[in-house]
Amino acid sequence: MLGEFISRDRCAALVARARCEPQPWLDLRPDLLDSSYNRLPYPVEHRLAEHPLFALDPLFALCRRLPEVQVKHRFGVVPDGTHFDSSLDRYRGNLTLEDAITHLEERQAYIAIYNAERDPEYQPVIEGLLGEVAAWTEALDPAINWYSTYTFISAHDSVTPYHMDREMNFLFQIRGTKTVQLWDPFDDDVMSAAQKDLLFASADACRPPYREALQSKAMAFELQPGMGVHHPFIAPHLVHTGPAVSITFALTFRTPQSDVWSDAHRFNHRLRRLGLHPGPVRHNALIDRTKAGLERAGERALRALRPRRRVAQSDALT
C-alpha cells in the first residue's frame, strides 16, 4: 500500500519540531484556512523552489535510485477525460524511464515519484513538511495518521486527467506553471452522494468520469513557483501544465476525522446495496460517527469469523 501510517505521538513530535523551525517552508494562509480547509479549494504559499532537493537534477537522481514501483512515467499529453487509474500504463507506449528523464521535453514525458520520503536523503525534508502541515491544521483537524507524497515532473502541456482522491492534500508548484481546476466536493451535480459512497466501496472502485457539463463549475487556480492550492477531501480535480517543464509536490494525508467520513461512506454503500437510501455523509457529524462505528464493528466481526470459516472448511475436507 502506498503511503505511511504514523502514530499520534510521532505526529505530535513532528508538529513540535516544525514549530521550532525559524523559517517555515509553508504558509497555509491562516486568513483562509479556518473558512476553507476541507470545504473549498483555496490558494496557499511556500518556499520550496528555494530547496535544493526539489531542483530537477536531484529529482532525476532520485528517480534513478528508487525502486521501479515508486517511479511511474508516461507521455504527458492525454485527453482530459482519460481514465485516471489506467493512464500511466495506457499512455506509456515504448517510453522508458531513462528516455523520460533524458528527453523530458522532446518526448513530452510525465514522471510521478511516489513516496520520496522512503529515500534517506529526502525523508527528513518531507517529514519536516508533514510536520508543518500538521501544525497548521491541528486546531481544525488534529492528528494526521497517514500520508503519502507525490512529486510530479512534467514536460510542457502535460495533463493529469480528471479524478478525485480519497483523502485531502496540499499541492505546491515549484517550477514552471500549472492550471489546476477543482470542483466543489459538496456539489451533488458534480458528484452524487451515491457516487461518493461507491468511491469508498473498495480500493479499485471506479471514480466518477469527467463530463463536459462540469466545465462551467470548475474553480481554476493558475499556479506559479511559490504558489499552491488546497484540495479538500475527495474534491475532483484536473491539471494542465504550462509551456515549460513543471515540478510539483503534493502532500496527501488522512486524519481520524477523514477516516470517519470514509467509513461512513462505506456503510452507506452497504445500505444502498440493500436497496436503502441513506442520508449523505458530512451533513451530520453524530450520524457520521454512528455509521463509521457500525462499519468498523461489522469489519471486526467479519475478521473474527474468517478464521472460523477456514477451520470449518478444513474440517469438512477431512
Side-chain angles (χ1 to χ4, degrees):
M1 179 181 180
L2 291 174
E4 304 287 342
F5 289 97
I6 61 171
S7 68
R8 187 176 288 269
D9 288 345
R10 178 62 178 155
C11 183
L14 292 176
V15 168
R17 190 178 100 187
R19 287 181 171 151
C20 292
E21 289 293 329
Q23 283 192 301
W25 292 98
L26 310 179
D27 179 358
L28 302 191
R29 300 284 302 275
D31 56 323
L32 295 173
L33 182 73
D34 288 349
S35 61
S36 298
Y37 172 76
N38 256 342
R39 295 181 181 89
L40 288 171
Y42 77 91
V44 299
E45 299 172 356
H46 65 91
R47 299 190 302 110
L48 294 181
E50 303 171 21
H51 201 295
L53 287 183
F54 287 105
L56 205 52
D57 286 343
L59 288 172
F60 282 159
L62 176 66
C63 289
R64 291 184 170 109
R65 68 176 180 263
L66 282 176
E68 183 178 340
V69 70
Q70 285 182 243
V71 186
K72 307 292 186 180
H73 65 281
R74 61 163 168 81
F75 294 103
V77 181
V78 301
D80 290 353
T82 296
H83 184 258
F84 175 77
D85 293 308
S86 63
S87 63
L88 286 167
D89 292 326
R90 183 179 175 189
Y91 290 93
R92 183 179 304 145
N94 295 321
L95 183 72
T96 67
L97 176 60
E98 192 58 34
D99 274 342
I101 291 172
T102 56
H103 302 288
L104 183 75
E105 281 285 72
E106 300 96 307
R107 301 287 193 266
Q108 276 199 277
Y110 168 100
I111 301 171
I113 304 170
Y114 291 55
N115 304 119
E117 63 274 7
R118 294 180 183 175
D119 180 82
E121 187 174 4
Y122 280 78
Q123 181 181 17
V125 176
I126 293 178
E127 285 190 345
L129 297 176
L130 176 67
E132 287 193 37
V133 169
W136 279 102
T137 60
E138 186 177 52
L140 298 170
D141 192 16
I144 289 175
N145 55 20
W146 175 94
Y147 77 103
S148 189
T149 69
Y150 308 89
T151 308
F152 304 107
I153 307 170
S154 314
H156 66 280
D157 301 314
S158 294
V159 177
T160 301
Y162 177 86
H163 70 287
M164 60 292 303
D165 302 317
R166 297 173 179 88
E167 306 86 18
M168 46 274 191
N169 80 60
F170 286 94
L171 185 76
F172 305 104
Q173 188 66 20
I174 297 170
R175 172 175 170 164
T177 61
K178 272 186 175 175
T179 300
V180 181
Q181 297 180 78
L182 287 117
W183 282 262
D184 183 352
F186 290 97
D187 187 337
D188 290 340
D189 290 335
V190 172
M191 190 164 44
S192 70
Q195 286 177 318
K196 294 174 191 175
D197 296 340
L198 177 60
L199 185 64
F200 289 89
S202 73
D204 301 321
C206 291
R207 294 174 167 95
Y210 176 76
R211 296 173 283 120
E212 286 294 337
L214 294 173
Q215 197 55 46
S216 63
K217 290 177 173 281
M219 292 171 274
F221 295 82
E222 303 292 340
L223 301 187
Q224 298 179 356
M227 300 171 64
V229 62
H230 168 56
H231 292 49
F233 181 74
I234 66 172
H237 49 282
L238 170 65
V239 183
H240 291 86
T241 300
V245 171
S246 167
I247 299 174
T248 314
F249 176 72
L251 200 159
T252 301
F253 59 99
R254 299 202 304 245
T255 63
Q257 178 61 79
S258 71
D259 286 346
V260 166
W261 297 332
S262 300
D263 287 332
H265 278 299
R266 292 187 185 96
F267 185 76
N268 270 4
H269 180 70
R270 294 183 191 275
L271 295 182
R272 292 184 192 281
R273 291 177 63 186
L274 296 173
L276 302 175
H277 303 281
V281 175
R282 298 188 68 183
H283 282 232
N284 184 301
L286 178 58
I287 292 175
D288 288 346
R289 289 195 297 271
T290 301
K291 288 177 178 178
L294 291 170
E295 174 67 17
R296 293 168 186 177
E299 283 296 315
R300 287 194 296 270
L302 286 174
R303 285 196 297 270
L305 286 172
R306 283 174 190 138
R308 296 179 187 176
R309 287 176 179 169
R310 286 196 292 270
V311 170
Q313 289 169 354
S314 66
D315 288 345
L317 291 171
T318 58

